[in-house]
Amino acid sequence: MGTRRIRTLRIDHEKPAWEQPGLHNRWHPDVPSVATIANNEVVLIECMDWTGGQIKNDDSADDLKNVDLTQIHYLSGPFDIETAEPGDVLLVEIQDVQALRDAPWGFGGVFDRYNGGGFLDEIYPKPAKAIWDFEGIFCSSRHIPHVRFPGLIHPGILGTAPTAKILAEWNRREGELIAANTTADRVVAHPPEPIGAHTGSAAQETLKERVAREGARTIPGRPENGGNTDIKNLSRGSKIYLPVHVPGAKFSVGDLHFSQGDGEISFCGAIEMAGEITLKFTVLKDGMAKMAMKSPIYLPGIVEPHFGPSRYLTFEGFSVDEKGKQYFLDSTVAYRQTCIRAIEYLRRYGYSDYQVYLLLSCAPVQGHIAGVVDIPNACTTMGIPMDIFDFDIRPEAEVVKRDMGNCAFASS
């Protein structure tokens, strides 16, 4: 007999996310646990999409334009793991991730520059959306035609709860970054925000108010607990080792992706979806000391799309921006330029810049740091699998410009 999977959490897609006690959207040690999972147990957990159902399967990006980002991310949990104590390590094995059977679709988007933004939001500030339909392991989009590829399905967020001390440290250091920011139109971090906070199954008003007031936003990943790392290779068959800081670990999961490129550059860049994830939990006693652990580590699984090394068309970028300004070994500037080179190349076939921007965010592209030692230029690369297109994009092939339609835009 195989290992029995226990369905630990169901979600109700007809009910607002903020009314469901099995979900929460802030990191805080006092968010009540919704269930207890035994050590070495295999469980199935259902998850809302990261916005809690705010984005619809239609041909308008008005929902992206008006999305309430104070609510994100909606996570399933937290779950207590039996025998887990501070100083232990929680080994989480991702056995499977699937879209919900009655919702075989997902979305990717470019958010408004002043409501979420993205990696290239100075160049592409308008909200735009692409809907992706799932066919088994493959996906395709009516908004980005002539493309089909298998998804490297994975959770964007896996994390454990912080202690009150760690939470205070997060708020301190991110608050200092906010205070030091001198760029008026650039958000560098998000402080605690009571508006939109969902404190799960917390019943007492005083507790709900405190968690909402103190809780850390789930937007960034953090070294102490993992969280929103958006690692596309942390997929089926992978194992992640998470630090345990509070009794029971208080593990949470969410932000499921059907596919994502390295960097998830448009911010809502993965193919976001509601789904279910099958996990096995194992407690490694005193693991933090034994592993000298200061941040999570993981072992990737063996399941991923294979295109062959010669089937990637790879673009280079350097730390010289589009205005000709030189930066010193800045890999962020270099990767922006890498993305821009790919957009310039693919627009020749008839795609709009926004279509390519969305595609590079969600397709299984390979992003790498090539060099950060040859002063003054960092070099980064992005490899695009050529076989995701139903036409030839090799440099030596003839360029045929097609009618590619367009992605969905927000109304003005």
Side-chain angles (χ1 to χ4, degrees), residues 242-264:
L242 295 169
V244 175
H245 300 292
V246 301
K250 287 194 169 182
F251 169 85
S252 298
V253 61
D255 189 26
L256 303 187
H257 299 163
F258 188 85
S259 179
Q260 181 200 299
D262 283 329
E264 198 187 10

Side-chain angles (χ1 to χ4, degrees), residues 117-139:
F119 196 48
L120 303 177
D121 60 10
E122 293 179 359
I123 304 172
Y124 306 112
K126 296 190 301 182
K129 182 172 75 178
I131 298 296
W132 294 84
D133 295 307
F134 307 149
E135 310 162 68
I137 66 170
F138 292 93
C139 64

Side-chain angles (χ1 to χ4, degrees), residues 98-175:
Q98 297 288 342
L100 294 180
R101 291 183 180 181
D102 59 351
W105 64 278
F107 64 90
V110 177
F111 279 14
D112 185 279
R113 187 184 179 195
Y114 299 103
N115 188 32
F119 196 48
L120 303 177
D121 60 10
E122 293 179 359
I123 304 172
Y124 306 112
K126 296 190 301 182
K129 182 172 75 178
I131 298 296
W132 294 84
D133 295 307
F134 307 149
E135 310 162 68
I137 66 170
F138 292 93
C139 64
S140 58
S141 173
R142 62 184 181 268
H143 296 121
I144 308 176
H146 298 285
V147 170
R148 186 173 185 263
F149 55 84
L152 184 54
I153 192 168
H154 63 278
I157 298 180
L158 300 154
T160 53
T163 62
K165 183 178 180 180
I166 290 173
L167 176 61
E169 170 62 13
W170 290 351
N171 291 334
R172 180 202 63 79
R173 70 191 185 208
E174 292 169 23

Side-chain angles (χ1 to χ4, degrees), residues 162 165-181 188-192 216-217 220-226 245 294-296:
K165 183 178 180 180
I166 290 173
L167 176 61
E169 170 62 13
W170 290 351
N171 291 334
R172 180 202 63 79
R173 70 191 185 208
E174 292 169 23
E176 286 186 352
L177 180 64
I178 293 168
N181 179 33
V188 296
H190 291 274
R217 300 299 302 277
R222 296 178 177 91
E224 292 87 351
N225 81 323
H245 300 292
K294 296 292 176 60
S295 59

Side-chain angles (χ1 to χ4, degrees), residues 6 13 38 63 67 97 103 194 201 209 218 248 254 265 269 271-272 314 325 356 390 392 397 400:
I6 299 173
H13 287 276
D63 47 9
V67 66
V97 193
S201 57
E209 291 173 2
T218 61
I265 57 175
I271 300 178
E272 311 282 353
T314 301
K325 182 177 179 180
V356 183
D390 64 9
D392 194 345
V400 177

Side-chain angles (χ1 to χ4, degrees), residues 9-59:
L9 179 69
R10 287 186 181 273
I11 54 174
D12 185 348
H13 287 276
E14 302 302 320
K15 189 176 181 180
W18 58 87
E19 294 181 3
Q20 301 193 45
L23 306 175
H24 68 102
N25 60 13
R26 298 292 189 271
W27 292 117
H28 194 287
D30 295 334
V31 175
S33 298
V34 298
T36 298
I37 299 170
N39 188 14
N40 293 312
E41 190 169 46
V42 177
V43 301
L44 190 150
I45 299 168
E46 292 187 0
C47 301
M48 295 285 281
D49 80 79
W50 72 298
T51 71
Q54 295 185 63
I55 309 304
K56 307 304 179 185
N57 185 350
D58 58 26
D59 299 321

